DNA sequence: TTGTGCACAACTTCCTTCTT
DNA sequence: AAGAAGGAAGTTGTGCACAA
Protein backbone atom coordinates (compact mmCIF):
# COMPACT_ATOMS: atom_id res chain seq x y z
CA UNK A 1 0.00 0.00 0.00
CA UNK A 2 1.04 3.62 -0.57
CA UNK A 3 0.97 5.38 2.80
CA UNK A 4 1.45 8.78 1.13
CA UNK A 5 -2.02 8.51 -0.41
CA UNK A 6 -3.66 6.78 2.55
CA UNK A 7 -6.57 8.71 4.06
CA UNK A 8 -5.93 8.75 7.83
CA UNK A 9 -9.65 9.30 8.43
CA UNK A 10 -10.02 5.64 7.50
CA UNK A 11 -8.28 4.78 10.79
CA UNK A 12 -11.15 6.38 12.69
CA UNK A 13 -13.55 4.15 10.76
CA UNK A 14 -11.40 1.12 11.53
CA UNK A 15 -11.31 2.01 15.23
CA UNK A 16 -15.09 2.52 15.32
CA UNK A 17 -15.58 -0.88 13.67
CA UNK A 18 -13.33 -2.51 16.27
CA UNK A 19 -15.38 -0.88 19.03
CA UNK A 20 -18.83 -1.63 17.63
CA UNK A 21 -18.34 -4.67 15.35
CA UNK A 22 -21.31 -3.25 13.46
CA UNK A 23 -21.24 -0.81 10.53
CA UNK A 24 -24.46 0.98 11.50
CA UNK A 25 -23.34 1.64 15.08
CA UNK A 26 -19.83 2.53 13.89
CA UNK A 27 -21.51 5.11 11.66
CA UNK A 28 -23.50 6.47 14.60
CA UNK A 29 -20.30 6.80 16.58
CA UNK A 30 -18.62 8.70 13.71
CA UNK A 31 -21.77 10.61 12.71
CA UNK A 32 -21.71 8.97 9.31
CA UNK A 33 -24.30 6.88 7.55
CA UNK A 34 -23.97 3.11 7.36
CA UNK A 35 -23.21 3.18 3.59
CA UNK A 36 -20.44 5.72 4.25
CA UNK A 37 -18.88 3.30 6.74
CA UNK A 38 -19.35 0.44 4.32
CA UNK A 39 -17.63 2.42 1.55
CA UNK A 40 -14.79 3.42 3.90
CA UNK A 41 -14.36 -0.22 4.86
CA UNK A 42 -14.11 -1.10 1.18
CA UNK A 43 -11.41 1.54 0.70
CA UNK A 44 -9.56 0.09 3.68
CA UNK A 45 -9.94 -3.38 2.16
CA UNK A 46 -8.40 -2.20 -1.13
CA UNK A 47 -5.54 -0.41 0.66
CA UNK A 48 -4.71 -3.36 2.90
CA UNK A 49 -5.68 -6.17 0.53
CA UNK A 50 -7.70 -7.95 3.21
CA UNK A 51 -11.42 -8.26 4.04
CA UNK A 52 -10.58 -6.82 7.53
CA UNK A 53 -14.12 -7.55 8.83
CA UNK A 54 -16.33 -10.44 7.79
CA UNK A 55 -19.98 -10.75 8.64
CA UNK A 56 -20.82 -13.47 11.13
CA UNK A 57 -24.54 -13.51 11.92
CA UNK A 58 -25.29 -10.04 13.25
CA UNK A 59 -21.76 -8.82 13.83
CA UNK A 60 -18.71 -7.87 11.83
CA UNK A 61 -15.83 -10.01 13.03
CA UNK A 62 -12.26 -8.73 12.53
CA UNK A 63 -9.84 -10.87 10.54
CA UNK A 64 -6.39 -11.78 11.88
CA UNK A 65 -4.85 -9.00 9.79
CA UNK A 66 -7.31 -6.47 11.21
CA UNK A 67 -6.65 -7.63 14.77
CA UNK A 68 -2.93 -7.13 14.19
CA UNK A 69 -3.66 -3.44 13.62
CA UNK A 70 -6.15 -2.94 16.43
CA UNK A 71 -3.91 -1.81 19.31
CA UNK A 72 -1.61 0.25 17.10
CA UNK A 73 -4.54 2.14 15.58
CA UNK A 74 -6.16 2.73 18.98
CA UNK A 75 -2.93 3.98 20.57
CA UNK A 76 -2.19 6.25 17.62
CA UNK A 77 -5.64 7.85 17.75
CA UNK A 78 -5.56 8.27 21.53
CA UNK A 79 -2.07 9.79 21.31
CA UNK A 80 -3.21 12.27 18.68
CA UNK A 81 -6.29 13.22 20.68
CA UNK A 82 -4.24 13.75 23.84
CA UNK A 83 -1.68 15.88 21.98
CA UNK A 84 -4.34 18.00 20.29
CA UNK A 85 -6.48 18.60 23.39
CA UNK A 86 -3.35 19.46 25.39
CA UNK A 87 -2.29 22.23 23.00
CA UNK A 88 -5.77 23.41 22.10
CA UNK A 89 -6.24 25.49 25.25
CA UNK A 90 -9.65 26.04 26.75
CA UNK A 91 -11.87 29.08 26.72
CA UNK A 92 -15.02 28.32 28.77
CA UNK A 93 -16.98 31.14 27.19
CA UNK A 94 -16.56 29.80 23.65
CA UNK A 95 -16.06 26.07 24.34
CA UNK A 96 -18.52 23.65 22.74
CA UNK A 97 -18.19 20.28 24.46
CA UNK A 98 -20.19 17.60 26.18
CA UNK A 99 -18.99 16.31 29.56
CA UNK A 100 -20.41 13.03 30.86
CA UNK A 101 -20.19 12.42 34.59
CA UNK A 102 -20.69 8.93 35.99
CA UNK A 103 -22.22 8.74 39.44
CA UNK A 104 -25.20 7.90 41.60
CA UNK A 105 -28.42 9.89 41.89
CA UNK A 106 -26.78 11.53 44.93
CA UNK A 107 -24.96 13.77 42.44
CA UNK A 108 -28.12 14.45 40.43
CA UNK A 109 -29.36 16.31 43.50
CA UNK A 110 -26.17 17.51 45.17
CA UNK A 111 -23.92 18.44 42.25
CA UNK A 112 -25.61 18.77 38.88
CA UNK A 113 -27.98 21.69 39.54
CA UNK A 114 -25.16 23.84 40.96
CA UNK A 115 -22.71 22.71 38.29
CA UNK A 116 -25.22 23.42 35.55
CA UNK A 117 -25.84 26.92 36.93
CA UNK A 118 -22.09 27.57 36.98
CA UNK A 119 -21.75 26.38 33.39
CA UNK A 120 -24.73 28.40 32.16
CA UNK A 121 -22.94 31.52 33.39
CA UNK A 122 -19.33 30.71 32.50
CA UNK A 123 -19.52 28.10 29.71
CA UNK A 124 -22.90 28.20 27.97
CA UNK A 125 -21.72 25.97 25.11
CA UNK A 126 -20.97 23.01 27.38
CA UNK A 127 -23.54 20.22 27.72
CA UNK A 128 -23.59 18.15 30.92
CA UNK A 129 -24.80 14.56 31.21
CA UNK A 130 -25.01 12.50 34.37
CA UNK A 131 -24.56 8.79 33.55
CA UNK A 132 -26.26 6.62 36.18
CA UNK A 133 -23.79 4.33 37.89
CA UNK A 134 -26.11 1.37 37.40
CA UNK A 135 -25.47 1.63 33.63
CA UNK A 136 -22.14 -0.20 33.83
CA UNK A 137 -18.79 -0.60 35.48
CA UNK A 138 -16.87 2.63 36.19
CA UNK A 139 -13.62 1.41 34.68
CA UNK A 140 -15.37 0.27 31.49
CA UNK A 141 -17.20 3.60 31.20
CA UNK A 142 -13.95 5.57 31.54
CA UNK A 143 -12.05 3.27 29.18
CA UNK A 144 -14.76 3.36 26.50
CA UNK A 145 -15.16 7.15 26.76
CA UNK A 146 -18.78 6.70 27.81
CA UNK A 147 -17.90 8.86 30.82
CA UNK A 148 -15.35 11.69 31.14
CA UNK A 149 -15.38 11.85 34.92
CA UNK A 150 -16.62 9.51 37.64
CA UNK A 151 -17.68 10.25 41.22
CA UNK A 152 -17.52 7.16 43.37
CA UNK A 153 -16.48 6.00 46.83
CA UNK A 154 -12.78 5.30 47.30
CA UNK A 155 -11.75 2.08 45.60
CA UNK A 156 -8.57 0.54 44.16
CA UNK A 157 -8.06 1.55 40.52
CA UNK A 158 -5.44 0.67 37.89
CA UNK A 159 -2.65 3.08 36.95
CA UNK A 160 -4.50 4.40 33.88
CA UNK A 161 -7.13 5.99 36.12
CA UNK A 162 -6.31 9.25 37.88
CA UNK A 163 -7.97 10.01 41.19
CA UNK A 164 -8.45 12.97 43.53
CA UNK A 165 -10.36 13.20 46.81
CA UNK A 166 -13.68 15.05 46.52
CA UNK A 167 -15.25 15.07 49.98
CA UNK A 168 -15.96 13.05 53.09
CA UNK A 169 -19.48 12.69 54.38
CA UNK A 170 -20.70 11.36 57.69
CA UNK A 171 -23.96 9.46 58.00
CA UNK A 172 -27.12 10.33 59.89
CA UNK A 173 -30.43 8.59 60.38
CA UNK A 174 -33.60 10.04 58.85
CA UNK A 175 -37.20 9.29 59.79
CA UNK A 176 -40.61 10.69 58.97
CA UNK A 177 -41.77 13.51 61.26
CA UNK A 178 -44.54 11.29 62.62
CA UNK A 179 -42.52 8.07 62.82
CA UNK A 180 -44.29 6.16 65.64
CA UNK A 181 -41.16 4.38 66.96
CA UNK A 182 -39.31 7.70 67.26
CA UNK A 183 -42.35 9.34 68.87
CA UNK A 184 -42.57 6.56 71.52
CA UNK A 185 -38.93 7.21 72.41
CA UNK A 186 -39.65 10.90 72.85
CA UNK A 187 -36.52 11.81 70.86
CA UNK A 188 -35.78 15.37 69.81
CA UNK A 189 -34.27 15.97 66.38
CA UNK A 190 -30.49 15.57 66.44
CA UNK A 191 -30.50 13.18 69.40
CA UNK A 192 -28.99 9.72 69.18
CA UNK A 193 -31.34 6.80 68.62
CA UNK A 194 -30.74 4.13 71.30
CA UNK A 195 -29.00 1.07 69.87
CA UNK A 196 -31.72 -1.43 70.84
CA UNK A 197 -34.45 0.73 69.30
CA UNK A 198 -32.38 1.37 66.14
CA UNK A 199 -31.82 -2.35 65.56
CA UNK A 200 -35.54 -3.04 65.97
CA UNK A 201 -36.66 -0.35 63.48
CA UNK A 202 -37.59 -1.43 59.93
CA UNK A 203 -34.92 0.08 57.68
CA UNK A 204 -34.40 0.98 54.04
CA UNK A 205 -31.19 1.83 52.27
CA UNK A 206 -29.71 2.56 48.84
CA UNK A 207 -28.14 -0.47 47.21
CA UNK A 208 -27.35 -0.19 43.50
CA UNK A 209 -26.88 -3.93 43.07
CA UNK A 210 -29.43 -5.19 45.60
CA UNK A 211 -26.91 -6.19 48.28
CA UNK A 212 -28.79 -6.76 51.54
CA UNK A 213 -25.93 -5.74 53.82
CA UNK A 214 -24.40 -2.28 53.88
CA UNK A 215 -21.85 -0.28 55.82
CA UNK A 216 -24.32 0.20 58.67
CA UNK A 217 -24.54 -3.59 59.04
CA UNK A 218 -20.73 -3.73 59.19
CA UNK A 219 -20.69 -1.05 61.87
CA UNK A 220 -23.35 -2.92 63.85
CA UNK A 221 -21.43 -6.19 63.49
CA UNK A 222 -18.45 -4.54 65.20
CA UNK A 223 -20.59 -4.20 68.34
CA UNK A 224 -22.23 -7.59 67.84
CA UNK A 225 -25.62 -6.31 66.68
CA UNK A 226 -27.89 -6.60 63.60
CA UNK A 227 -30.63 -4.43 62.14
CA UNK A 228 -33.84 -5.24 60.28
CA UNK A 229 -33.43 -4.49 56.56
CA UNK A 230 -36.94 -4.18 55.07
CA UNK A 231 -36.35 -2.52 51.71
CA UNK A 232 -33.44 -1.77 49.40
CA UNK A 233 -33.76 0.72 46.54
CA UNK A 234 -31.30 1.67 43.81
CA UNK A 235 -31.44 5.41 44.47
CA UNK A 236 -31.01 7.68 47.47
CA UNK A 237 -34.01 9.78 46.49
CA UNK A 238 -36.34 6.74 46.45
CA UNK A 239 -35.04 5.82 49.90
CA UNK A 240 -35.89 9.28 51.23
CA UNK A 241 -39.39 9.11 49.68
CA UNK A 242 -39.94 5.65 51.21
CA UNK A 243 -38.93 7.05 54.61
CA UNK A 244 -41.22 10.07 54.22
CA UNK A 245 -44.21 7.96 53.33
CA UNK A 246 -43.93 5.21 55.93
CA UNK A 247 -42.50 3.89 59.17
CA UNK A 248 -39.07 3.05 57.75
CA UNK A 249 -35.85 4.79 58.79
CA UNK A 250 -32.70 5.14 56.69
CA UNK A 251 -29.06 6.00 57.26
CA UNK A 252 -27.96 8.54 54.64
CA UNK A 253 -24.99 10.83 53.95
CA UNK A 254 -25.50 13.98 56.02
CA UNK A 255 -25.63 16.44 53.10
CA UNK A 256 -28.31 14.61 51.18
CA UNK A 257 -30.22 13.82 54.38
CA UNK A 258 -30.31 17.54 55.15
CA UNK A 259 -31.54 18.34 51.65
CA UNK A 260 -34.27 15.70 51.69
CA UNK A 261 -35.25 16.61 55.26
CA UNK A 262 -36.05 20.11 54.04
CA UNK A 263 -38.00 19.03 50.96
CA UNK A 264 -39.76 15.93 52.36
CA UNK A 265 -40.26 16.96 55.97
CA UNK A 266 -37.91 14.32 57.43
CA UNK A 267 -36.26 14.48 60.86
CA UNK A 268 -32.54 13.81 61.36
CA UNK A 269 -31.08 11.79 64.25
CA UNK A 270 -27.64 10.52 65.21
CA UNK A 271 -26.83 6.85 64.59
CA UNK A 272 -26.05 4.75 67.68
CA UNK A 273 -22.89 3.26 66.09
CA UNK A 274 -19.80 4.77 64.48
CA UNK A 275 -20.40 4.48 60.74
CA UNK A 276 -17.19 5.20 58.79
CA UNK A 277 -17.55 8.39 56.70
CA UNK A 278 -17.99 8.00 52.95
CA UNK A 279 -14.76 8.93 51.15
CA UNK A 280 -15.96 10.17 47.75
CA UNK A 281 -13.43 10.66 44.99
CA UNK A 282 -13.12 11.95 41.42
CA UNK A 283 -11.85 9.45 38.84
CA UNK A 284 -10.89 10.04 35.23
CA UNK A 285 -8.80 8.44 32.52
CA UNK A 286 -5.16 9.62 32.50
CA UNK A 287 -5.68 10.71 28.89
CA UNK A 288 -7.52 13.73 30.36
CA UNK A 289 -4.73 14.71 32.79
CA UNK A 290 -3.44 17.52 30.56
CA UNK A 291 -6.77 18.36 28.92
CA UNK A 292 -7.40 21.96 29.99
CA UNK A 293 -11.15 21.70 29.52
CA UNK A 294 -11.24 18.63 31.72
CA UNK A 295 -9.06 20.36 34.32
CA UNK A 296 -11.49 23.28 34.30
CA UNK A 297 -14.46 20.96 34.85
CA UNK A 298 -12.70 19.06 37.65
CA UNK A 299 -11.97 22.32 39.45
CA UNK A 300 -15.66 23.35 39.26
CA UNK A 301 -16.84 19.94 40.48
CA UNK A 302 -14.38 19.97 43.37
CA UNK A 303 -15.34 23.50 44.34
CA UNK A 304 -19.02 22.56 44.60
CA UNK A 305 -18.42 19.27 46.43
CA UNK A 306 -15.99 20.93 48.86
CA UNK A 307 -19.09 22.57 50.35
CA UNK A 308 -20.17 19.15 51.62
CA UNK A 309 -16.77 18.06 52.95
CA UNK A 310 -16.74 17.14 56.63
CA UNK A 311 -13.15 15.86 56.60
CA UNK A 312 -11.90 12.29 56.95
CA UNK A 313 -12.63 12.16 60.69
CA UNK A 314 -16.32 12.89 60.35
CA UNK A 315 -17.72 9.70 61.90
CA UNK A 316 -19.97 10.22 64.94
CA UNK A 317 -17.59 8.29 67.16
CA UNK A 318 -13.99 7.82 66.10
CA UNK A 319 -13.15 6.75 62.56
CA UNK A 320 -12.62 3.59 60.61
CA UNK A 321 -10.10 3.20 57.81
CA UNK A 322 -12.40 1.07 55.68
CA UNK A 323 -13.66 3.09 52.71
CA UNK A 324 -17.31 3.02 51.77
CA UNK A 325 -16.77 1.52 48.35
CA UNK A 326 -16.13 -1.75 46.63
CA UNK A 327 -14.02 -3.14 43.83
CA UNK A 328 -16.52 -2.68 41.01
CA UNK A 329 -16.89 1.02 41.67
CA UNK A 330 -20.54 0.79 42.81
CA UNK A 331 -21.43 2.77 45.91
CA UNK A 332 -21.56 0.55 48.93
CA UNK A 333 -25.06 0.09 50.31
CA UNK A 334 -25.72 2.03 53.48
C1' DT B 1 -43.28 -12.80 8.39
C1' DT B 2 -40.65 -9.31 10.38
C1' DG B 3 -36.62 -6.98 11.88
C1' DT B 4 -31.77 -6.22 11.32
C1' DG B 5 -27.72 -5.17 8.85
C1' DC B 6 -24.53 -4.92 4.80
C1' DA B 7 -23.93 -3.51 0.08
C1' DC B 8 -25.21 -1.31 -4.15
C1' DA B 9 -27.30 2.43 -7.19
C1' DA B 10 -28.27 7.04 -8.06
C1' DC B 11 -27.61 11.46 -6.89
C1' DT B 12 -25.38 15.58 -4.48
C1' DT B 13 -21.69 18.10 -2.52
C1' DC B 14 -17.14 19.41 -2.01
C1' DC B 15 -12.36 19.49 -3.08
C1' DT B 16 -8.52 19.32 -6.26
C1' DT B 17 -6.56 20.00 -10.61
C1' DC B 18 -6.38 22.04 -14.97
C1' DT B 19 -6.98 25.76 -18.16
C1' DT B 20 -7.42 30.47 -19.39
C1' DA C 1 -7.40 34.58 -9.68
C1' DA C 2 -11.46 32.46 -11.45
C1' DG C 3 -14.23 29.07 -13.75
C1' DA C 4 -14.72 24.23 -15.57
C1' DA C 5 -14.08 19.38 -15.14
C1' DG C 6 -13.39 15.23 -12.75
C1' DG C 7 -13.18 12.40 -8.82
C1' DA C 8 -13.92 11.21 -4.01
C1' DA C 9 -16.99 10.67 -0.47
C1' DG C 10 -21.24 11.82 1.42
C1' DT C 11 -26.57 10.99 1.39
C1' DT C 12 -31.08 8.55 0.62
C1' DG C 13 -33.45 4.70 -1.12
C1' DT C 14 -33.57 -0.06 -1.94
C1' DG C 15 -32.43 -5.03 -2.37
C1' DC C 16 -30.75 -9.18 -0.44
C1' DA C 17 -29.41 -12.40 3.24
C1' DC C 18 -30.21 -14.12 7.55
C1' DA C 19 -32.06 -14.89 12.23
C1' DA C 20 -35.91 -15.05 15.36
Amino acid sequence: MNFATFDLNLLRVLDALFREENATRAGDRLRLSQPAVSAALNRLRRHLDDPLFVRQKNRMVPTAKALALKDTVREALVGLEEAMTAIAGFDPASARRCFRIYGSDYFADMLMPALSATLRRAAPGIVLQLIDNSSGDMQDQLADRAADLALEPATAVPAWISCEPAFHSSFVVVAAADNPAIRRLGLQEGEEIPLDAFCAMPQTFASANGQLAGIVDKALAVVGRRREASLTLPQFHSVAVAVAEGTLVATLPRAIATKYAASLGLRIYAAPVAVPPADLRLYWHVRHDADMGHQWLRARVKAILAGYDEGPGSARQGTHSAAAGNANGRPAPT
Side-chain angles (χ1 to χ4, degrees):
Chain A
M1 67 164 276
N2 183 358
F3 193 72
T5 61
F6 183 78
D7 178 4
L8 294 177
N9 277 316
L10 295 177
L11 297 181
R12 296 178 60 239
V13 176
L14 191 59
D15 184 55
L17 283 165
F18 280 127
R19 289 176 185 277
E20 303 291 348
E21 295 192 340
N22 175 297
T24 304
R25 288 198 299 274
D28 290 342
R29 182 179 273 270
L30 298 165
R31 299 188 182 170
L32 293 176
S33 63
Q34 174 270 320
V37 173
S38 182
L41 177 57
N42 272 326
R43 293 196 293 280
L44 278 161
R45 284 167 171 162
R46 283 198 297 275
H47 269 293
L48 299 169
D49 194 25
D50 186 87
L52 297 175
F53 287 86
V54 292
R55 191 168 176 175
Q56 194 175 88
K57 296 188 178 175
N58 280 346
R59 51 188 284 252
M60 297 289 273
V61 181
T63 63
K65 200 165 178 177
L67 283 172
L69 286 167
K70 183 177 180 180
D71 290 343
T72 307
V73 168
R74 176 77 47 85
E75 285 163 18
L77 290 173
V78 167
L80 277 170
E81 184 185 342
E82 284 172 12
M84 293 178 79
T85 52
I87 64 165
F90 180 72
D91 173 24
S94 61
R96 298 197 69 79
R97 277 181 81 163
C98 176
F99 285 116
R100 283 158 295 193
I101 300 176
Y102 171 97
S104 72
D105 76 309
Y106 179 100
F107 298 102
D109 287 323
M110 306 306 292
L111 169 67
M112 300 308 272
L115 185 59
S116 175
T118 298
L119 264 60
R120 293 271 63 74
R121 287 192 300 273
I126 289 181
V127 175
L128 277 179
Q129 290 185 288
L130 181 69
I131 310 293
D132 191 88
N133 64 357
S134 62
S135 63
D137 178 75
M138 175 181 79
Q139 293 188 21
D140 291 343
Q141 300 277 316
L142 293 176
D144 293 345
R145 295 159 191 265
D148 301 294
L149 184 65
L151 287 156
E152 288 288 270
T155 186
V157 290
W160 58 266
I161 290 181
S162 293
C163 171
E164 270 187 37
F167 68 103
H168 291 82
S169 175
S170 63
F171 288 91
V172 293
V173 181
V174 291
D178 58 351
N179 184 292
I182 300 280
R183 198 174 335 118
R184 276 196 299 277
L185 291 165
L187 288 177
Q188 297 300 307
E189 189 166 24
E191 289 185 327
E192 182 181 318
I193 301 175
L195 183 58
D196 288 340
F198 179 77
C199 293
M201 288 173 179
Q203 305 206 8
T204 178
F205 55 91
S207 172
N209 54 13
Q211 268 184 271
L212 272 170
I215 54 173
V216 173
D217 298 277
K218 287 182 188 163
L220 287 170
V222 171
V223 295
R225 302 299 295 268
R226 304 178 62 241
R227 65 172 172 174
E228 182 188 345
S230 299
L231 172 69
T232 75
L233 291 160
Q235 297 182 319
F236 287 107
H237 187 259
S238 343
V239 166
V241 169
V243 168
E245 294 183 359
T247 58
L248 298 164
V249 299
T251 306
L252 294 175
R254 179 181 295 278
I256 204 162
T258 304
K259 187 179 183 77
Y260 291 150
S263 60
L264 297 170
L266 306 180
R267 299 287 184 267
I268 296 175
Y269 303 92
V273 285
V275 179
D279 175 7
L280 273 296
R281 300 187 179 187
L282 271 65
Y283 299 94
W284 65 93
H285 196 290
V286 292
R287 71 168 81 93
H288 297 305
D289 281 352
D291 175 347
M292 293 173 75
H294 204 276
Q295 289 174 3
W296 185 88
L297 178 76
R298 297 199 299 266
R300 297 299 164 294
V301 169
K302 283 189 72 176
I304 292 168
L305 295 180
Y308 306 127
D309 190 31
E310 300 172 63
S314 55
R316 191 191 59 80
Q317 299 166 1
T319 57
H320 293 244
S321 59
N326 53 20
N328 66 5
R330 298 286 201 300
T334 57

